Amino acid sequence: MKKKYIWLYAFICCCYSCEGNNDPIDNKPNQSIEVTYDKGITPPSIPVIDESDYTVYYVDTDTGDDTNDGLSEATPFKTLSKVTYMAKIPKMKVLLKSGSVFAENLVLKNLNSSVDKPFIMDIYGGTERPTISGTGDQAVLIQDDNMRFRNIRVTNKTGTRGIRIQTQIQGAGAFLNVEITGCLIEEVNWAGDIPFENVDPETIDVEKIAPDSRFSNKEFGGIIIENATTQEQGASWYENLFITNNIIRQVCRTGILIQGKWGQRDKPGNGNNEYISDDQNWYPSRNVVIQGNDFSYCGGDGLILMGSTDSYIDHNRCFHANFLGRNGQASAGLWPYSCTNIVMQYNEAAYTWLAHGSADGQGLDVDIACKNTLVQYNYVHHNKGGGILLCNIKTGDHSGTVIRNNIFYKNDGSYRGSLMTVSSNVGATDIYNNTIVLDNGTTPVIIFTDDWANAGKSHDISYRNNIFVSMTPCTGKIDLHNMEKYSFENNLFFHVGSSFIIDSSPLRYDPKINAPVSANGFSQALRFRPTESKVFTDGILFDGMADTDFAGNPVQGINYLGAFSK
């Protein structure tokens, strides 16, 4: 039976205020009036467990022997196959020796674990991560839940996946309590030693790193999490899945993919079951926390979160996504797909590429059939395809998106919109109190609309209290040919031409923003704070605004423009 988490859903929906609670209040900019504010959202923490009664086993490739008892650093096991054999022992903790290199695959299944006593794999004897250097379909295969996998380096240069988690073996129902923390996943589906750092991918023979046959599948990459149980078994999904503080680099095609074969809400027949409604015959993963991860040089997408609800994309860094892109393939930095109630916050997404004829290239994306997505406090810069993509199809419900208090800097508008592209039947969306800084030519497209899916026009889109500024004078363009029932109210435009008559009450003066010389690092976003005092008095107030600005300052009663209240 599908489980319901009414308390968490109610909390997130209350915080979003997406259901008609963003109507502007008729007020003068300098007038302080009483409005309701959304409180900050903190993702759940990984539960603390009592390890005092665990049996600890040690594994060392240099001094170990599988005939040892493995119960001390002096008598360690040698191989991962021994760990697989022993894994059914309850309350088991396996420690791999720092610096050890295991030239074999690891399989973890039939674990005798529980929510209170999960299986644990970690490191001992130093700070250098032990390495699992696998081959084939995956270096690490996890087919059981209630487990914690920490501080391991995983490689698989000519294979297709680093860590692969599957619900298939366990069968239908919730796959619970899985944590992957502090790992280094690199050189997965990334053959050869072609130089790539500080290199334009247009100059690289990407086929020599990952051939088309291994690039075209988004289910290849660093951490691939599947829920493809059969119709006979029934639906499966994840609950309490934590992927935190990992380094994921040189992986192809996807950095992290959380699959949603039983959570497709985009169109009938696109998943394993026929989606009827969010309350009927829909089995999303719940409480998925993707937090503190560092993605770089992903061949395609950085993160794809599919078929999930009440989940978080929080405090991640994604540089150089879509690095091995090619014709006919589209990738972006961080994005949910067919999800509800997702929070995307405090992420830095930068340098997403558009090489070799590839498509998209945005830093962030709220993709097909996403409902009630909150995008706040993100720093998005230097992405070739623009800052953020919103897209949908004819049968998908894409509504309730809120994009607020973000910094967008120097995203390229030559392909689509430097701020955003809104494509095909995107519904009610509120975009307010963002700071958009351009510096990319004389005629940048700031907002672009199209109908890639032949699904009709986007509609009910509002833009309020945003700052649009170019570091050098330019003739900016807002292309709304595939959008209807939109509104622009009280936005500030400077150095971006004089054609923005679509705004009901445009503001025009210099907010005095000095962009940093080096943009890299989330803390650099604080350098985009305006120094013109009028910015902090010329905003309008309305219910549902965030209760803090980008810098964490309380904003109650402050009529501010852009992402900073002072």
Side-chain angles (χ1 to χ4, degrees):
M1 180 178 292
K2 183 179 176 183
K3 296 183 179 180
K4 296 181 182 293
Y5 286 77
I6 297 174
W7 65 271
L8 183 56
Y9 177 82
F11 168 75
I12 292 182
C13 284
C14 178
C15 290
Y16 282 11
S17 299
C18 284
E19 300 297 331
N21 198 27
N22 281 329
D23 295 330
I25 294 172
D26 185 14
N27 66 290
K28 296 179 180 179
N30 290 322
Q31 181 182 11
S32 179
I33 64 175
E34 184 176 349
V35 299
T36 60
Y37 292 87
D38 288 352
K39 294 182 179 180
I41 299 173
T42 301
S45 299
I46 300 169
V48 176
I49 58 174
D50 179 9
E51 301 180 20
S52 61
D53 56 350
Y54 272 61
T55 301
V56 180
Y57 291 92
Y58 298 84
V59 190
D60 183 352
T61 53
D62 292 333
T63 66
D65 190 314
D66 284 351
T67 63
N68 290 338
D69 62 15
L71 293 172
S72 71
E73 295 184 32
T75 59
F77 296 139
K78 185 177 183 65
T79 69
L80 298 178
S81 58
K82 182 69 173 183
V83 174
T84 299
Y85 175 77
M86 300 285 290
K88 61 185 65 178
I89 296 173
K91 302 178 186 177
M92 182 178 185
K93 182 176 183 179
V94 175
L95 301 180
L96 307 185
K97 179 65 178 294
S98 171
S100 287
V101 177
F102 298 89
E104 55 179 316
N105 294 356
L106 171 65
V107 177
L108 295 174
K109 62 181 180 179
N110 300 321
L111 305 177
N112 193 344
S113 56
S114 66
V115 171
D116 294 333
K117 299 294 180 181
F119 173 90
I120 301 171
M121 178 168 280
D122 210 329
I123 185 176
Y124 80 97
T127 59
E128 181 186 356
R129 294 179 181 90
T131 295
I132 298 175
S133 181
T135 58
D137 284 344
Q138 61 275 318
V140 177
L141 177 61
I142 297 171
Q143 294 181 319
D144 211 339
D145 57 1
N146 295 312
M147 64 88 57
R148 302 191 173 188
F149 189 86
R150 299 170 172 167
N151 301 313
I152 311 296
R153 178 176 178 260
V154 177
T155 70
N156 190 3
K157 286 181 70 70
T158 58
T160 55
R161 300 168 180 89
I163 299 173
R164 186 180 193 180
I165 304 177
Q166 296 178 315
T167 62
Q168 284 92 316
I169 302 302
Q170 179 172 290
F175 200 87
L176 302 169
N177 190 30
V178 174
E179 173 202 346
I180 302 174
T181 292
C183 294
L184 169 59
I185 298 98
E186 63 178 344
E187 296 187 315
V188 175
N189 195 12
W190 192 286
D193 296 302
I194 297 174
F196 60 92
E197 292 190 6
N198 302 313
V199 173
D200 186 335
E202 289 283 12
T203 67
I204 295 175
D205 186 347
V206 294
E207 275 277 317
K208 290 184 178 180
I209 298 176
D212 285 348
S213 60
R214 297 209 316 267
F215 181 86
S216 59
N217 192 340
K218 288 179 180 283
E219 296 178 8
F220 293 168
I223 302 174
I224 306 299
I225 300 173
E226 303 172 352
N227 65 342
T229 44
T230 66
Q231 292 285 349
E232 291 75 20
Q233 287 176 306
S236 66
W237 60 92
Y238 291 86
E239 293 181 14
N240 302 324
L241 171 63
F242 295 88
I243 305 178
T244 63
N245 300 317
N246 302 285
I247 299 171
I248 300 155
R249 64 191 184 197
Q250 289 173 260
V251 301
C252 190
R253 163 163 180 179
T254 309
I256 296 174
L257 168 65
I258 293 91
Q259 198 183 72
K261 292 293 181 67
W262 295 91
Q264 302 285 84
R265 60 190 304 275
D266 51 354
K267 59 183 177 180
N270 204 30
N272 284 357
N273 58 314
E274 181 181 357
Y275 167 80
I276 298 174
S277 70
D278 290 354
D279 297 317
Q280 188 175 0
N281 212 35
W282 187 50
Y283 305 94
S285 294
R286 300 175 181 274
N287 199 37
V288 178
V289 179
I290 315 297
Q291 184 179 57
N293 301 288
D294 189 338
F295 303 83
S296 61
Y297 297 101
C298 294
D301 304 282
L303 164 69
I304 307 173
L305 174 62
M306 298 176 62
S308 299
T309 191
D310 305 336
S311 297
Y312 308 84
I313 302 171
D314 178 87
H315 281 90
N316 300 286
R317 175 185 180 269
C318 183
F319 278 24
H320 301 291
N322 203 22
F323 190 74
L324 303 180
R326 51 207 74 178
N327 190 43
Q329 301 292 330
S331 298
L334 308 172
W335 52 283
Y337 174 98
S338 190
C339 292
T340 67
N341 303 332
I342 304 299
V343 178
M344 302 175 69
Q345 62 181 8
Y346 302 107
N347 302 289
E348 181 180 7
Y351 304 105
T352 309
W353 290 89
L354 277 175
H356 299 283
S358 61
D360 285 356
Q362 293 84 8
L364 303 178
D365 174 15
V366 181
D367 213 89
I368 294 169
C370 282
K371 182 179 180 180
N372 293 350
T373 308
L374 177 59
V375 182
Q376 64 178 2
Y377 309 128
N378 299 287
Y379 178 34
V380 185
H381 59 95
H382 292 93
N383 296 286
K384 291 291 186 181
I388 187 168
L389 170 66
L390 310 178
C391 65
N392 197 25
I393 58 176
K394 191 171 184 178
T395 57
D397 178 5
H398 191 304
S399 62
T401 301
V402 174
I403 302 171
R404 67 187 183 194
N405 296 88
N406 302 284
I407 308 293
F408 295 92
Y409 173 55
K410 210 170 184 178
N411 296 291
D412 196 340
S414 61
Y415 170 63
R416 286 181 171 178
S418 57
L419 168 61
M420 64 173 53
T421 292
V422 185
S423 187
S424 297
N425 191 32
V426 172
T429 302
D430 286 318
I431 302 154
Y432 59 86
N433 283 101
N434 301 285
T435 298
I436 301 100
V437 181
L438 312 173
D439 192 12
N440 53 355
T442 58
T443 56
V445 179
I446 301 171
I447 300 170
F448 179 76
T449 64
D450 67 358
D451 191 11
W452 74 275
N454 296 316
K457 291 188 177 183
S458 298
H459 54 90
D460 300 295
I461 317 290
S462 69
Y463 297 81
R464 290 174 284 181
N465 282 351
N466 300 290
I467 295 175
F468 297 88
V469 59
S470 178
M471 303 310 293
T472 55
C474 68
T475 305
K477 181 179 180 182
I478 292 181
D479 178 352
L480 303 178
H481 76 274
N482 199 63
M483 185 184 294
E484 60 187 5
K485 291 190 283 188
Y486 54 80
S487 64
F488 285 72
E489 182 181 12
N490 206 65
N491 298 284
L492 170 63
F493 303 96
F494 182 71
H495 273 176
V496 288
S498 58
S499 61
F500 294 100
I501 57 174
I502 53 176
D503 196 300
S504 62
S505 51
L507 301 169
R508 293 193 171 281
Y509 54 83
D510 185 357
K512 298 179 181 177
I513 295 173
N514 295 311
V517 174
S518 175
N520 296 348
F522 192 87
S523 63
Q524 291 297 91
L526 298 174
R527 303 283 295 276
F528 291 88
R529 188 194 313 268
T531 58
E532 170 53 61
S533 60
K534 288 195 296 182
V535 168
F536 310 122
T537 59
D538 278 355
I540 57 175
L541 300 181
F542 44 89
D543 286 336
M545 300 176 76
D547 67 347
T548 60
D549 69 1
F550 188 93
N553 300 307
V555 302
Q556 286 82 353
I558 300 176
N559 301 72
Y560 69 104
L561 300 166
F564 297 97
S565 65
K566 64 179 182 178

